[in-house]
Every structure is written in structure tokens, then in C-alpha cells.
Amino acid sequence: GTEIAENTTDVLIGKLTPIDEDADDFHAFAFQFDDGSFGFEDNNFAIVGHELRVATEAVLNFEAQNEYTLRILAIDSGGLPTDIKEFVINITNIDEYPLDITIDPATVAENSVDGTKVGTFFTLEGEPDITHTYSLVDDAGGRFKVVEIGSDEFELHVNADANLDFETQNEFEIKVRSTKQNGLYLDKTMTISL
């Protein structure tokens, strides 16, 4: 089979050539669907002239489906089918960046002391069985820190000398980095409220 990386769109897979006794005859190509009908687009794939392509609007996700079988029919100028072949397209996995980071909750009482838990970090991930580590790119002037409390479990805590006074400032922005074990990461700015 042919291999295509997940998340690929609008790319040439290969050129289609018919097998016909009348080699000079004009040929068109079409997908043959399970119900017996024909067409030039099959969800994630398209036939454009004599090219088999990944469709412009394709959604190829290795984690959802990693193999496609396409039946392609060659039709001669007289409208007669001359050949039908099955093509197997294998979707390969690629490393993907984390999708989103959240913290729950994102509030802490004013005048909280060193070590007070603010919330727990979570990362939305497109791949299964991925672990993340967390760090602060911006710790709001040293007011917050990340604490690892278990394997793949990280919390935001108040740092020493945070001086969290509601009347002076009731919101602080931090920038969190979630890093996968393969080194890919996502940074996100979050607001912590008192």
C-alpha cells in the first residue's frame, strides 16, 4: 500500500494509468463505492483527471482510522469499464503538538501562603497515552510555581512572598508550557483570579 502522513491535505498520491487492450483509447477514472455507484470524490480522496489525490478537505487522522481501501474503475471512451483495482492507503502517525491546556480551578484566596494550591493542570491531547510536564514561562512576577504531585499530575501553587492582595490586584496572568515526552510543547496564557 501507499503511505500518507496523517493531517495531509491536497497532495498527489499517484498517477492513474489504465490497463486496456486499446492503449490509445481515452480513459476516465472514478471511485466505485460499496453501493455500486461511481464518483470522483470519496470523502478523504479525489480523482482529478488521471491523478489520485488526498482531497482538499480531507481529515486523515491515524488515531481514528489508519487504513483506507479504494476501488478505482477505468472507463474507456465508449463508457465501458476496462479495469477495476483496489488501492490500499496506509495513514502514518506523526507527532502532534498538544491541543489545549486548562487549569481547574483558576482561583485562589487573597493573602494565600507559600504552597497553597491554586489548581490542577490538564492538557487536551490528540494522541493516546501521552504524558506531559508543565512549567511556567511567565510566573506573574514570581507569585506562582508548578509542583509535580505525581506521575503526569501537576498543580499550580502560590510561591513564597506572592503578596496576593485583592485590593491591589485581583487578577494575574501566567503563561504555562505543557511539554510532551517527545519535546513538542504548547504555551498558553491563563488568568488566575483572587
Side-chain angles (χ1 to χ4, degrees):
T2 300
E3 290 188 350
I4 300 292
E6 70 176 325
N7 304 326
T8 299
T9 60
D10 194 29
V11 69
L12 175 67
I13 297 172
K15 299 271 188 183
L16 300 171
T17 55
I19 299 174
D20 189 350
E21 294 171 5
D22 187 0
D24 295 330
D25 197 3
F26 171 80
H27 288 83
F29 296 91
F31 292 111
Q32 182 182 34
F33 303 116
D34 291 339
D35 65 3
S37 65
F38 302 96
F40 297 108
E41 292 189 17
D42 182 10
N43 295 325
N44 292 313
F45 304 96
I47 295 174
V48 180
H50 285 202
E51 294 180 345
L52 175 59
R53 301 187 68 84
V54 176
T56 303
E57 303 295 322
V59 180
L60 299 177
N61 183 340
F62 175 85
E63 289 76 23
Q65 184 173 348
N66 61 17
E67 183 180 283
Y68 293 85
T69 301
L70 307 174
R71 285 192 309 275
I72 299 179
L73 180 70
I75 303 167
D76 68 15
S77 61
L80 298 173
T82 61
D83 195 20
I84 187 166
K85 292 280 187 206
E86 283 193 354
F87 294 87
V88 175
I89 309 296
N90 294 304
I91 308 303
T92 59
N93 194 24
I94 62 170
D95 288 334
E96 297 168 287
Y97 287 88
L99 301 173
D100 194 17
I101 309 167
T102 59
I103 185 170
D104 185 47
T107 60
V108 65
E110 73 171 322
N111 301 318
S112 290
V113 297
D114 182 23
T116 302
K117 177 183 173 182
V118 177
T120 303
F121 291 112
F122 301 96
T123 297
L124 179 62
E125 178 61 60
E127 299 180 277
D129 304 321
I130 300 296
T131 59
H132 299 87
T133 58
Y134 298 85
S135 59
L136 293 177
V137 177
D138 180 351
D139 60 6
R143 290 178 175 87
F144 301 99
K145 62 185 173 184
V146 173
V147 177
E148 182 175 5
I149 59 168
S151 176
D152 199 31
E153 193 170 351
F154 291 79
E155 294 178 345
L156 182 68
H157 285 209
V158 173
N159 211 354
D161 301 319
N163 192 23
L164 301 178
D165 179 43
F166 182 87
E167 288 74 28
T168 305
Q169 186 175 349
N170 62 5
E171 289 185 338
F172 298 93
E173 282 195 347
I174 60 169
K175 185 180 277 188
V176 181
R177 176 170 291 170
S178 175
T179 305
K180 298 169 64 163
Q181 68 256 30
N182 64 9
L184 296 176
Y185 65 87
L186 173 68
D187 290 348
K188 183 175 180 181
T189 300
M190 300 178 169
T191 300
I192 305 301
S193 301
L194 299 185

